[in-house]
Amino acid sequence: MPDDDFVVTPWRVEGQIDYDRLIEKFGTRRIDAAMLARIEGAAGEGHFMLRRGVFFSHRDLGSILDAHAARRPFFVYTGRGPSGSTHIGHLVPWVFAKWLQDRFGVMVYFQLTDDEKFFAKRDLTLDDTHGLARENALDFVALGFDPKRTRVVIDTRHIRHLYPIAAQVAKHINFSNTRATFGFGGETNIGMIFYTSIQSAMCYIEDAPVLIPLGVDQDPHFRLTRDVAPLIGRPKPALIHNVMMPPLQGAGGKMGSSDPNSAIFTTDTPAEIRKKVNKYAFSGGRPDVAEHRRLGGNPDVDVSYQYLRMFFEPDDARLAEVREAYSSGSMLTGELKSILVERASEYLGAHQQRREEARGGLDGYMMAE
Ligand code: TYM
């Protein structure tokens, strides 16, 4: 790993991410107290993911809030590369996109990049990624987006809407830029090299400024888009970044769909969740009960606690109770794991029901061809 002990790119996240250093390296802005107050003021309420720093960084969020204050429209765009089942890390930016739609009444576009994952994954056919795109879209729709204000786009199906814009973008990105941004080499296929322009094109699907909630690993695509924007006479996309949910094993990298034991998937049963959490979830507990009771556990490294903080426990008072009990030693790791299993099973049980209900109505969310 070159000059750092962690790597964050759209196709690779490794090592223990130092988010302060990442902000510096990527050249983004931290969401400080003033920005937090501003977005909460504009929305009329807060969101636990903002308050707790799950969304920690941005680019030009202020310009979107300016537009909103001046009653000028903006829209929201996010996406998924269909390479496997959806896990709860993927849901983080989507839950936030839903909140933005509710609070600001905006259009939300959801891009499924079946072409990208076909290019990136040796073992997947285009039929595979196209099928996965539909399955992943169910997880998105299940979050309760307003059908009148939401459009799902699948790259290979809607390409004619994207291609004229992608061509504009592609003309201004040269190979040296992409190679430097993504670490491509001579063996990289040319689909991958062109792909960024397809992800960029969605920023201009409407003639209004865009706000993109996304995991920070996706930032490099839009760094290139932002460089190109003035050259094609378009506004720079604004971004709001979430941290990467750690794998169940903790310590570095991200929850990823390529390692089933690293992730809680939206389709997992309560038994599967319990088995995975009990077996793999990294614990901040002490080696034995006596020591744990005496010294307490460390919630900051405990993955079960972190999943509650980042996703499954929106109630601040309840989260604080868990933190206090675990840190003081009155709650053991097994008990903390049980709370996570219970909350996750409850959340995903309801999600799975809405996901099945979404199946019949999915076409109603698709962009017209
Ligand atoms: P993909 O499918 O890798 O991920 C979808 C979204 O989930 C975020 N994400 C995570 N967030 C928190 N913790 C994790 N462990 C985690 N893993 C993934 C990603 O950052 C992403 O926001 N090329 C994209 C698809 C795409 C897209 C977009 C994403 C197309 N247009 C616009 C964001 C915004 C991809 O492969 O995402």
Side-chain angles (χ1 to χ4, degrees), residues 10-11 13 19 54 77-84 87-94 109-113 116-117 136 155 195 198-200 202-203 212-219 221-222 239 242-247 253-257 263 307 310:
W11 299 289
V13 176
Y19 285 100
V54 176
Y77 149 49
T78 193
R80 161 85 175 124
S83 59
H87 59 61
I88 54 165
H90 299 131
L91 296 184
V92 172
W94 309 350
Y109 289 84
F110 184 62
Q111 179 182 35
L112 288 150
T113 59
E116 175 199 4
K117 291 300 168 174
N136 292 167
D155 285 352
Y195 168 72
I198 300 282
Q199 185 155 327
S200 298
M202 286 292 296
C203 298
I212 308 175
L214 76 177
V216 70
D217 62 327
Q218 294 293 318
D219 179 79
H221 287 298
F222 298 108
L239 313 176
N242 61 263
V243 298
M244 305 309 290
M245 268 216 178
K254 63 166 178 178
M255 178 182 288
S257 27
Y307 286 5
M310 295 168 113

Short mmCIF file of all heavy atoms in Angstrom, two decimals, residues 10-11 13 19 54 77-84 87-94 109-113 116-117 136 155 195 198-200 202-203 212-219 221-222 239 242-247 253-257 263 307 310, ligand 1:
data_model
loop_
_atom_site.label_atom_id
_atom_site.label_comp_id
_atom_site.label_asym_id
_atom_site.label_seq_id
_atom_site.Cartn_x
_atom_site.Cartn_y
_atom_site.Cartn_z
N PRO A 10 -13.01 2.92 -5.49
CA PRO A 10 -14.31 2.28 -5.69
C PRO A 10 -14.25 0.75 -5.74
O PRO A 10 -15.26 0.10 -5.53
CB PRO A 10 -14.77 2.84 -7.04
CG PRO A 10 -14.08 4.15 -7.17
CD PRO A 10 -12.74 3.96 -6.52
N TRP A 11 -13.09 0.20 -6.02
CA TRP A 11 -13.02 -1.26 -6.17
C TRP A 11 -12.19 -1.92 -5.09
O TRP A 11 -12.04 -3.13 -5.06
CB TRP A 11 -12.52 -1.62 -7.59
CG TRP A 11 -13.48 -1.10 -8.62
CD1 TRP A 11 -14.74 -1.59 -8.88
CD2 TRP A 11 -13.31 0.04 -9.48
NE1 TRP A 11 -15.35 -0.81 -9.83
CE2 TRP A 11 -14.49 0.19 -10.23
CE3 TRP A 11 -12.26 0.95 -9.68
CZ2 TRP A 11 -14.67 1.20 -11.17
CZ3 TRP A 11 -12.45 1.96 -10.62
CH2 TRP A 11 -13.63 2.07 -11.35
N VAL A 13 -11.14 -1.40 -0.77
CA VAL A 13 -10.99 -0.68 0.50
C VAL A 13 -10.22 -1.60 1.44
O VAL A 13 -10.68 -2.70 1.75
CB VAL A 13 -12.37 -0.33 1.11
CG1 VAL A 13 -12.21 0.32 2.48
CG2 VAL A 13 -13.16 0.59 0.18
N TYR A 19 -9.99 8.70 8.78
CA TYR A 19 -10.88 9.59 8.03
C TYR A 19 -10.37 11.03 7.95
O TYR A 19 -10.65 11.72 6.98
CB TYR A 19 -12.31 9.49 8.58
CG TYR A 19 -12.98 8.19 8.14
CD1 TYR A 19 -13.06 7.11 9.00
CD2 TYR A 19 -13.47 8.04 6.85
CE1 TYR A 19 -13.63 5.90 8.59
CE2 TYR A 19 -14.03 6.84 6.42
CZ TYR A 19 -14.11 5.78 7.30
OH TYR A 19 -14.66 4.60 6.88
N VAL A 54 -21.78 9.48 10.89
CA VAL A 54 -21.77 8.42 9.86
C VAL A 54 -21.62 9.11 8.49
O VAL A 54 -20.85 8.67 7.64
CB VAL A 54 -23.06 7.57 9.92
CG1 VAL A 54 -23.09 6.55 8.79
CG2 VAL A 54 -23.17 6.89 11.29
N TYR A 77 -29.14 11.89 -6.36
CA TYR A 77 -28.78 10.72 -7.17
C TYR A 77 -27.85 9.83 -6.35
O TYR A 77 -26.98 10.32 -5.65
CB TYR A 77 -28.12 11.21 -8.47
CG TYR A 77 -27.06 10.34 -9.10
CD1 TYR A 77 -27.27 8.97 -9.32
CD2 TYR A 77 -25.86 10.89 -9.53
CE1 TYR A 77 -26.29 8.19 -9.91
CE2 TYR A 77 -24.87 10.11 -10.12
CZ TYR A 77 -25.09 8.76 -10.30
OH TYR A 77 -24.12 7.98 -10.87
N THR A 78 -28.10 8.51 -6.41
CA THR A 78 -27.17 7.56 -5.80
C THR A 78 -27.23 6.25 -6.59
O THR A 78 -27.91 6.20 -7.63
CB THR A 78 -27.43 7.40 -4.28
OG1 THR A 78 -26.34 6.72 -3.68
CG2 THR A 78 -28.73 6.66 -3.99
N GLY A 79 -26.52 5.22 -6.16
CA GLY A 79 -26.52 4.02 -7.01
C GLY A 79 -25.97 2.78 -6.35
O GLY A 79 -25.65 2.76 -5.15
N ARG A 80 -25.89 1.74 -7.18
CA ARG A 80 -25.39 0.43 -6.72
C ARG A 80 -24.77 -0.31 -7.91
O ARG A 80 -25.36 -0.32 -9.00
CB ARG A 80 -26.56 -0.36 -6.14
CG ARG A 80 -26.34 -1.87 -6.03
CD ARG A 80 -25.62 -2.24 -4.75
NE ARG A 80 -25.52 -3.69 -4.61
CZ ARG A 80 -24.34 -4.35 -4.46
NH1 ARG A 80 -23.20 -3.71 -4.41
NH2 ARG A 80 -24.35 -5.66 -4.32
N GLY A 81 -23.63 -0.91 -7.68
CA GLY A 81 -23.01 -1.79 -8.67
C GLY A 81 -23.41 -3.22 -8.37
O GLY A 81 -22.94 -3.80 -7.39
N PRO A 82 -24.30 -3.80 -9.16
CA PRO A 82 -24.90 -5.10 -8.82
C PRO A 82 -23.94 -6.27 -8.98
O PRO A 82 -23.89 -6.90 -10.04
CB PRO A 82 -26.09 -5.21 -9.78
CG PRO A 82 -25.72 -4.35 -10.95
CD PRO A 82 -24.86 -3.25 -10.42
N SER A 83 -23.21 -6.57 -7.92
CA SER A 83 -22.23 -7.66 -7.96
C SER A 83 -22.64 -8.80 -7.04
O SER A 83 -21.97 -9.83 -6.98
CB SER A 83 -20.87 -7.13 -7.53
OG SER A 83 -20.96 -6.60 -6.23
N GLY A 84 -23.70 -8.63 -6.28
CA GLY A 84 -24.14 -9.66 -5.34
C GLY A 84 -25.32 -9.13 -4.55
O GLY A 84 -25.95 -8.15 -4.95
N HIS A 87 -26.04 -5.56 1.19
CA HIS A 87 -25.79 -5.65 2.63
C HIS A 87 -26.13 -4.32 3.30
O HIS A 87 -26.42 -3.33 2.61
CB HIS A 87 -24.37 -6.13 2.92
CG HIS A 87 -23.26 -5.27 2.38
ND1 HIS A 87 -23.08 -3.96 2.74
CD2 HIS A 87 -22.26 -5.55 1.49
CE1 HIS A 87 -22.03 -3.46 2.13
NE2 HIS A 87 -21.51 -4.40 1.35
N ILE A 88 -26.05 -4.29 4.62
CA ILE A 88 -26.54 -3.09 5.31
C ILE A 88 -25.65 -1.87 5.06
O ILE A 88 -26.11 -0.74 5.15
CB ILE A 88 -26.77 -3.31 6.83
CG1 ILE A 88 -25.52 -3.86 7.48
CG2 ILE A 88 -27.97 -4.22 7.06
CD1 ILE A 88 -25.56 -3.75 8.99
N GLY A 89 -24.37 -2.07 4.69
CA GLY A 89 -23.52 -0.93 4.31
C GLY A 89 -24.10 -0.20 3.11
O GLY A 89 -24.12 1.04 3.07
N HIS A 90 -24.62 -0.96 2.15
CA HIS A 90 -25.22 -0.32 0.96
C HIS A 90 -26.43 0.53 1.33
O HIS A 90 -26.74 1.52 0.68
CB HIS A 90 -25.69 -1.37 -0.05
CG HIS A 90 -24.59 -2.24 -0.58
ND1 HIS A 90 -24.67 -3.61 -0.61
CD2 HIS A 90 -23.38 -1.92 -1.09
CE1 HIS A 90 -23.55 -4.11 -1.13
NE2 HIS A 90 -22.75 -3.10 -1.42
N LEU A 91 -27.15 0.07 2.37
CA LEU A 91 -28.39 0.78 2.73
C LEU A 91 -28.12 2.16 3.33
O LEU A 91 -29.01 3.01 3.32
CB LEU A 91 -29.22 -0.04 3.72
CG LEU A 91 -29.77 -1.40 3.25
CD1 LEU A 91 -30.64 -2.00 4.36
CD2 LEU A 91 -30.61 -1.27 1.98
N VAL A 92 -26.90 2.39 3.84
CA VAL A 92 -26.62 3.65 4.54
C VAL A 92 -26.92 4.88 3.66
O VAL A 92 -27.75 5.72 4.02
CB VAL A 92 -25.18 3.68 5.11
CG1 VAL A 92 -24.83 5.05 5.65
CG2 VAL A 92 -25.02 2.62 6.20
N PRO A 93 -26.31 4.99 2.46
CA PRO A 93 -26.62 6.18 1.64
C PRO A 93 -28.06 6.19 1.12
O PRO A 93 -28.61 7.25 0.85
CB PRO A 93 -25.62 6.10 0.48
CG PRO A 93 -25.05 4.73 0.50
CD PRO A 93 -25.21 4.18 1.87
N TRP A 94 -28.68 5.01 1.00
CA TRP A 94 -30.04 4.96 0.46
C TRP A 94 -31.06 5.43 1.51
O TRP A 94 -32.02 6.12 1.19
CB TRP A 94 -30.39 3.55 -0.03
CG TRP A 94 -29.38 2.97 -0.98
CD1 TRP A 94 -28.32 3.64 -1.57
CD2 TRP A 94 -29.30 1.62 -1.45
NE1 TRP A 94 -27.62 2.77 -2.37
CE2 TRP A 94 -28.18 1.53 -2.32
CE3 TRP A 94 -30.07 0.47 -1.22
CZ2 TRP A 94 -27.82 0.35 -2.95
CZ3 TRP A 94 -29.71 -0.70 -1.85
CH2 TRP A 94 -28.60 -0.77 -2.71
N TYR A 109 -32.84 9.75 -8.15
CA TYR A 109 -32.47 8.81 -9.21
C TYR A 109 -31.55 7.75 -8.63
O TYR A 109 -30.63 8.06 -7.87
CB TYR A 109 -31.75 9.54 -10.36
CG TYR A 109 -32.69 10.41 -11.15
CD1 TYR A 109 -32.98 11.70 -10.73
CD2 TYR A 109 -33.30 9.92 -12.30
CE1 TYR A 109 -33.86 12.50 -11.44
CE2 TYR A 109 -34.18 10.71 -13.02
CZ TYR A 109 -34.46 12.00 -12.59
OH TYR A 109 -35.33 12.77 -13.29
N PHE A 110 -31.80 6.50 -9.03
CA PHE A 110 -31.00 5.37 -8.54
C PHE A 110 -30.42 4.62 -9.73
O PHE A 110 -31.15 4.05 -10.52
CB PHE A 110 -31.90 4.45 -7.70
CG PHE A 110 -31.19 3.31 -7.05
CD1 PHE A 110 -30.19 3.54 -6.12
CD2 PHE A 110 -31.51 1.99 -7.35
CE1 PHE A 110 -29.52 2.48 -5.50
CE2 PHE A 110 -30.86 0.92 -6.74
CZ PHE A 110 -29.86 1.18 -5.82
N GLN A 111 -29.09 4.66 -9.84
CA GLN A 111 -28.43 4.03 -10.99
C GLN A 111 -27.90 2.64 -10.62
O GLN A 111 -27.17 2.49 -9.63
CB GLN A 111 -27.24 4.90 -11.45
CG GLN A 111 -26.49 4.30 -12.63
CD GLN A 111 -25.29 5.13 -13.07
OE1 GLN A 111 -24.61 5.73 -12.23
NE2 GLN A 111 -25.02 5.16 -14.35
N LEU A 112 -28.22 1.66 -11.45
CA LEU A 112 -27.69 0.31 -11.28
C LEU A 112 -26.71 0.03 -12.41
O LEU A 112 -27.09 -0.01 -13.59
CB LEU A 112 -28.85 -0.69 -11.30
CG LEU A 112 -29.69 -0.61 -10.02
CD1 LEU A 112 -31.13 -0.96 -10.29
CD2 LEU A 112 -29.10 -1.50 -8.94
N THR A 113 -25.45 -0.15 -12.03
CA THR A 113 -24.38 -0.19 -13.02
C THR A 113 -24.03 -1.64 -13.38
O THR A 113 -22.97 -2.14 -13.01
CB THR A 113 -23.16 0.57 -12.48
OG1 THR A 113 -22.74 -0.03 -11.26
CG2 THR A 113 -23.50 2.03 -12.22
N GLU A 116 -20.74 -1.82 -15.25
CA GLU A 116 -19.54 -1.69 -14.42
C GLU A 116 -19.13 -3.03 -13.79
O GLU A 116 -17.98 -3.44 -13.84
CB GLU A 116 -19.78 -0.67 -13.30
CG GLU A 116 -18.61 -0.58 -12.33
CD GLU A 116 -18.96 0.06 -10.97
OE1 GLU A 116 -20.14 0.39 -10.72
OE2 GLU A 116 -18.02 0.23 -10.17
N LYS A 117 -20.12 -3.70 -13.18
CA LYS A 117 -19.77 -4.92 -12.45
C LYS A 117 -19.43 -6.06 -13.41
O LYS A 117 -18.65 -6.95 -13.08
CB LYS A 117 -20.89 -5.30 -11.48
CG LYS A 117 -20.98 -4.32 -10.33
CD LYS A 117 -19.67 -4.27 -9.51
CE LYS A 117 -19.66 -3.10 -8.57
NZ LYS A 117 -18.50 -3.07 -7.66
N ASN A 136 -31.26 -6.00 -6.44
CA ASN A 136 -30.77 -4.87 -5.63
C ASN A 136 -31.78 -3.72 -5.63
O ASN A 136 -31.94 -3.03 -4.61
CB ASN A 136 -29.42 -4.35 -6.16
CG ASN A 136 -28.27 -5.34 -5.98
OD1 ASN A 136 -27.21 -5.16 -6.56
ND2 ASN A 136 -28.44 -6.38 -5.18
N ASP A 155 -28.08 0.70 -16.37
CA ASP A 155 -27.22 1.21 -17.44
C ASP A 155 -27.50 0.58 -18.81
O ASP A 155 -27.72 1.30 -19.79
CB ASP A 155 -25.73 1.02 -17.09
CG ASP A 155 -25.26 2.03 -16.05
OD1 ASP A 155 -26.03 2.97 -15.74
OD2 ASP A 155 -24.14 1.88 -15.55
N TYR A 195 -15.80 3.64 -18.03
CA TYR A 195 -16.97 3.55 -17.15
C TYR A 195 -17.30 4.83 -16.36
O TYR A 195 -18.47 5.21 -16.21
CB TYR A 195 -16.88 2.34 -16.20
CG TYR A 195 -17.92 2.46 -15.15
CD1 TYR A 195 -19.25 2.25 -15.47
CD2 TYR A 195 -17.61 2.94 -13.88
CE1 TYR A 195 -20.25 2.48 -14.54
CE2 TYR A 195 -18.60 3.17 -12.95
CZ TYR A 195 -19.91 2.94 -13.29
OH TYR A 195 -20.89 3.19 -12.38
N ILE A 198 -19.99 7.07 -17.50
CA ILE A 198 -21.40 6.62 -17.36
C ILE A 198 -21.93 6.99 -15.97
O ILE A 198 -23.07 7.43 -15.82
CB ILE A 198 -21.50 5.09 -17.58
CG1 ILE A 198 -21.01 4.69 -18.97
CG2 ILE A 198 -22.91 4.60 -17.32
CD1 ILE A 198 -21.97 4.95 -20.09
N GLN A 199 -21.09 6.79 -14.96
CA GLN A 199 -21.51 7.16 -13.60
C GLN A 199 -21.64 8.68 -13.48
O GLN A 199 -22.50 9.18 -12.76
CB GLN A 199 -20.52 6.59 -12.56
CG GLN A 199 -20.95 6.82 -11.13
CD GLN A 199 -20.37 5.81 -10.15
OE1 GLN A 199 -20.16 4.64 -10.47
NE2 GLN A 199 -20.14 6.23 -8.92
N SER A 200 -20.80 9.41 -14.21
CA SER A 200 -20.87 10.88 -14.21
C SER A 200 -22.13 11.38 -14.91
O SER A 200 -22.73 12.39 -14.50
CB SER A 200 -19.68 11.48 -14.97
OG SER A 200 -18.48 11.14 -14.34
N MET A 202 -25.12 10.55 -15.01
CA MET A 202 -26.34 10.67 -14.20
C MET A 202 -26.43 12.00 -13.46
O MET A 202 -27.52 12.41 -13.07
CB MET A 202 -26.40 9.53 -13.18
CG MET A 202 -26.75 8.18 -13.75
SD MET A 202 -28.45 8.08 -14.33
CE MET A 202 -29.33 8.31 -12.79
N CYS A 203 -25.28 12.65 -13.25
CA CYS A 203 -25.29 13.96 -12.56
C CYS A 203 -26.05 14.99 -13.38
O CYS A 203 -26.43 16.04 -12.85
CB CYS A 203 -23.87 14.47 -12.34
SG CYS A 203 -22.86 13.42 -11.31
N ILE A 212 -25.37 14.12 -4.11
CA ILE A 212 -25.16 12.67 -4.15
C ILE A 212 -24.75 12.15 -2.77
O ILE A 212 -23.64 12.43 -2.31
CB ILE A 212 -24.04 12.32 -5.17
CG1 ILE A 212 -24.34 12.97 -6.52
CG2 ILE A 212 -23.90 10.81 -5.30
CD1 ILE A 212 -23.22 12.77 -7.55
N PRO A 213 -25.64 11.40 -2.08
CA PRO A 213 -25.20 10.70 -0.87
C PRO A 213 -24.49 9.41 -1.29
O PRO A 213 -25.02 8.68 -2.13
CB PRO A 213 -26.49 10.41 -0.11
CG PRO A 213 -27.60 10.56 -1.10
CD PRO A 213 -27.07 11.16 -2.36
N LEU A 214 -23.33 9.14 -0.72
CA LEU A 214 -22.55 7.97 -1.19
C LEU A 214 -21.49 7.58 -0.17
O LEU A 214 -21.08 8.42 0.63
CB LEU A 214 -21.89 8.29 -2.55
CG LEU A 214 -20.65 9.18 -2.57
CD1 LEU A 214 -20.11 9.30 -3.99
CD2 LEU A 214 -20.94 10.58 -2.07
N GLY A 215 -21.07 6.33 -0.22
CA GLY A 215 -19.91 5.92 0.57
C GLY A 215 -18.69 6.62 0.01
O GLY A 215 -18.59 6.84 -1.21
N VAL A 216 -17.75 6.94 0.88
CA VAL A 216 -16.60 7.76 0.47
C VAL A 216 -15.73 7.04 -0.56
O VAL A 216 -14.99 7.69 -1.32
CB VAL A 216 -15.79 8.20 1.72
CG1 VAL A 216 -15.06 7.02 2.35
CG2 VAL A 216 -14.83 9.32 1.38
N ASP A 217 -15.87 5.71 -0.66
CA ASP A 217 -15.08 4.96 -1.68
C ASP A 217 -15.45 5.37 -3.10
O ASP A 217 -14.66 5.19 -4.03
CB ASP A 217 -15.27 3.44 -1.50
CG ASP A 217 -16.71 2.99 -1.69
OD1 ASP A 217 -17.65 3.75 -1.36
OD2 ASP A 217 -16.91 1.85 -2.18
N GLN A 218 -16.67 5.92 -3.29
CA GLN A 218 -17.12 6.30 -4.63
C GLN A 218 -16.71 7.73 -5.00
O GLN A 218 -16.95 8.18 -6.12
CB GLN A 218 -18.65 6.18 -4.73
CG GLN A 218 -19.15 4.74 -4.62
CD GLN A 218 -18.73 3.89 -5.81
OE1 GLN A 218 -18.77 4.33 -6.95
NE2 GLN A 218 -18.30 2.67 -5.53
N ASP A 219 -16.09 8.44 -4.08
CA ASP A 219 -15.74 9.84 -4.33
C ASP A 219 -14.86 10.04 -5.58
O ASP A 219 -15.08 11.00 -6.32
CB ASP A 219 -15.05 10.43 -3.09
CG ASP A 219 -14.63 11.88 -3.30
OD1 ASP A 219 -15.52 12.75 -3.19
OD2 ASP A 219 -13.46 12.13 -3.62
N HIS A 221 -14.78 8.88 -8.56
CA HIS A 221 -15.51 9.09 -9.82
C HIS A 221 -15.95 10.54 -9.96
O HIS A 221 -15.84 11.16 -11.02
CB HIS A 221 -16.79 8.23 -9.86
CG HIS A 221 -16.55 6.77 -10.06
ND1 HIS A 221 -15.95 6.26 -11.17
CD2 HIS A 221 -16.85 5.71 -9.27
CE1 HIS A 221 -15.88 4.93 -11.08
NE2 HIS A 221 -16.43 4.59 -9.93
N PHE A 222 -16.47 11.07 -8.85
CA PHE A 222 -17.08 12.40 -8.93
C PHE A 222 -16.04 13.51 -8.80
O PHE A 222 -16.32 14.65 -9.17
CB PHE A 222 -18.20 12.51 -7.89
CG PHE A 222 -19.29 11.51 -8.16
CD1 PHE A 222 -19.48 10.41 -7.33
CD2 PHE A 222 -20.09 11.63 -9.29
CE1 PHE A 222 -20.45 9.46 -7.62
CE2 PHE A 222 -21.07 10.69 -9.57
CZ PHE A 222 -21.25 9.60 -8.73
N LEU A 239 -21.59 16.52 -3.05
CA LEU A 239 -21.54 15.17 -2.47
C LEU A 239 -21.67 15.21 -0.96
O LEU A 239 -21.20 16.17 -0.33
CB LEU A 239 -20.21 14.48 -2.80
CG LEU A 239 -19.68 14.52 -4.23
CD1 LEU A 239 -18.30 13.86 -4.29
CD2 LEU A 239 -20.61 13.81 -5.19
N ASN A 242 -20.61 9.05 3.39
CA ASN A 242 -20.66 8.25 4.62
C ASN A 242 -19.39 7.42 4.77
O ASN A 242 -18.73 7.09 3.79
CB ASN A 242 -21.91 7.36 4.68
CG ASN A 242 -22.04 6.32 3.59
OD1 ASN A 242 -22.72 6.55 2.59
ND2 ASN A 242 -21.39 5.17 3.75
N VAL A 243 -19.08 7.12 6.04
CA VAL A 243 -17.95 6.24 6.34
C VAL A 243 -18.30 4.82 5.86
O VAL A 243 -19.46 4.50 5.62
CB VAL A 243 -17.63 6.19 7.86
CG1 VAL A 243 -17.23 7.56 8.37
CG2 VAL A 243 -18.79 5.63 8.66
N MET A 244 -17.29 3.98 5.75
CA MET A 244 -17.51 2.60 5.33
C MET A 244 -17.83 1.76 6.57
O MET A 244 -17.09 1.78 7.56
CB MET A 244 -16.25 2.04 4.65
CG MET A 244 -15.74 2.86 3.47
SD MET A 244 -16.98 3.28 2.22
CE MET A 244 -17.30 1.68 1.48
N MET A 245 -18.96 1.02 6.52
CA MET A 245 -19.27 0.11 7.62
C MET A 245 -18.19 -0.96 7.67
O MET A 245 -17.88 -1.56 6.63
CB MET A 245 -20.60 -0.59 7.37
CG MET A 245 -21.74 0.13 7.95
SD MET A 245 -22.90 -1.12 8.54
CE MET A 245 -24.10 -0.05 9.24
N PRO A 246 -17.62 -1.21 8.85
CA PRO A 246 -16.55 -2.22 8.91
C PRO A 246 -17.10 -3.62 8.69
O PRO A 246 -18.30 -3.86 8.89
CB PRO A 246 -16.04 -2.06 10.34
CG PRO A 246 -17.16 -1.47 11.11
CD PRO A 246 -17.96 -0.63 10.15
N PRO A 247 -16.24 -4.56 8.30
CA PRO A 247 -16.68 -5.95 8.22
C PRO A 247 -16.96 -6.48 9.62
O PRO A 247 -16.48 -5.90 10.60
CB PRO A 247 -15.47 -6.67 7.62
CG PRO A 247 -14.29 -5.81 7.95
CD PRO A 247 -14.81 -4.39 8.02
N GLY A 253 -10.67 -2.40 6.35
CA GLY A 253 -11.45 -2.80 5.18
C GLY A 253 -12.90 -2.40 5.32
O GLY A 253 -13.26 -1.51 6.10
N LYS A 254 -13.78 -3.05 4.57
CA LYS A 254 -15.20 -2.70 4.60
C LYS A 254 -16.04 -3.97 4.59
O LYS A 254 -15.57 -5.02 4.15
CB LYS A 254 -15.55 -1.87 3.37
CG LYS A 254 -15.35 -2.62 2.07
CD LYS A 254 -16.02 -1.93 0.87
CE LYS A 254 -15.73 -2.74 -0.39
NZ LYS A 254 -16.36 -2.19 -1.58
N MET A 255 -17.27 -3.83 5.04
CA MET A 255 -18.26 -4.87 4.81
C MET A 255 -18.39 -4.98 3.30
O MET A 255 -18.58 -3.97 2.63
CB MET A 255 -19.58 -4.44 5.45
CG MET A 255 -20.70 -5.43 5.25
SD MET A 255 -22.27 -4.88 5.97
CE MET A 255 -21.98 -5.04 7.70
N GLY A 256 -18.26 -6.19 2.76
CA GLY A 256 -18.30 -6.31 1.30
C GLY A 256 -19.09 -7.53 0.87
O GLY A 256 -19.11 -8.53 1.59
N SER A 257 -19.75 -7.45 -0.31
CA SER A 257 -20.56 -8.61 -0.71
C SER A 257 -19.70 -9.78 -1.19
O SER A 257 -20.20 -10.89 -1.31
CB SER A 257 -21.64 -8.24 -1.73
OG SER A 257 -21.31 -7.14 -2.49
N ALA A 263 -20.41 -9.66 6.19
CA ALA A 263 -21.55 -8.76 6.02
C ALA A 263 -22.85 -9.33 6.57
O ALA A 263 -23.03 -10.55 6.62
CB ALA A 263 -21.73 -8.46 4.53
N TYR A 307 -22.41 -1.28 14.75
CA TYR A 307 -23.56 -1.47 13.84
C TYR A 307 -24.83 -0.85 14.42
O TYR A 307 -25.66 -0.31 13.68
CB TYR A 307 -23.80 -2.96 13.56
CG TYR A 307 -22.79 -3.62 12.65
CD1 TYR A 307 -21.68 -2.94 12.16
CD2 TYR A 307 -22.97 -4.94 12.25
CE1 TYR A 307 -20.75 -3.57 11.33
CE2 TYR A 307 -22.05 -5.58 11.40
CZ TYR A 307 -20.95 -4.88 10.96
OH TYR A 307 -20.05 -5.51 10.14
N MET A 310 -24.27 2.99 13.92
CA MET A 310 -24.31 3.47 12.55
C MET A 310 -25.65 3.22 11.88
O MET A 310 -25.98 3.90 10.92
CB MET A 310 -23.22 2.77 11.72
CG MET A 310 -21.82 3.10 12.17
SD MET A 310 -20.65 1.99 11.37
CE MET A 310 -19.79 3.11 10.35
P1 TYM B 1 -21.55 -0.24 -4.63
O1 TYM B 1 -22.53 -1.19 -5.18
O2 TYM B 1 -20.17 -0.72 -4.35
O3 TYM B 1 -22.11 0.38 -3.32
C1 TYM B 1 -23.38 1.03 -3.26
C2 TYM B 1 -23.31 2.16 -2.25
O4 TYM B 1 -22.99 1.64 -0.96
C3 TYM B 1 -21.81 2.23 -0.46
N1 TYM B 1 -21.11 1.20 0.31
C4 TYM B 1 -20.95 1.24 1.63
N2 TYM B 1 -21.30 2.18 2.54
C5 TYM B 1 -20.99 1.92 3.83
N3 TYM B 1 -20.33 0.82 4.23
C6 TYM B 1 -19.95 -0.14 3.37
N4 TYM B 1 -19.31 -1.22 3.80
C7 TYM B 1 -20.26 0.05 1.99
N5 TYM B 1 -20.03 -0.66 0.86
C8 TYM B 1 -20.57 0.03 -0.15
C9 TYM B 1 -21.06 2.70 -1.69
O5 TYM B 1 -20.17 3.74 -1.39
C10 TYM B 1 -22.20 3.17 -2.58
O6 TYM B 1 -22.61 4.47 -2.23
N6 TYM B 1 -20.23 2.34 -8.80
C11 TYM B 1 -21.15 2.28 -7.67
C12 TYM B 1 -22.62 2.39 -8.10
C13 TYM B 1 -23.02 3.81 -8.35
C14 TYM B 1 -23.10 4.86 -7.39
C15 TYM B 1 -23.52 6.02 -8.10
C16 TYM B 1 -22.85 4.89 -6.01
C17 TYM B 1 -23.41 4.34 -9.54
N7 TYM B 1 -23.71 5.65 -9.39
C18 TYM B 1 -23.70 7.22 -7.43
C19 TYM B 1 -23.01 6.12 -5.35
C20 TYM B 1 -23.43 7.26 -6.08
C21 TYM B 1 -20.95 0.99 -6.88
O7 TYM B 1 -20.40 0.03 -7.37
O8 TYM B 1 -21.47 1.05 -5.60
#
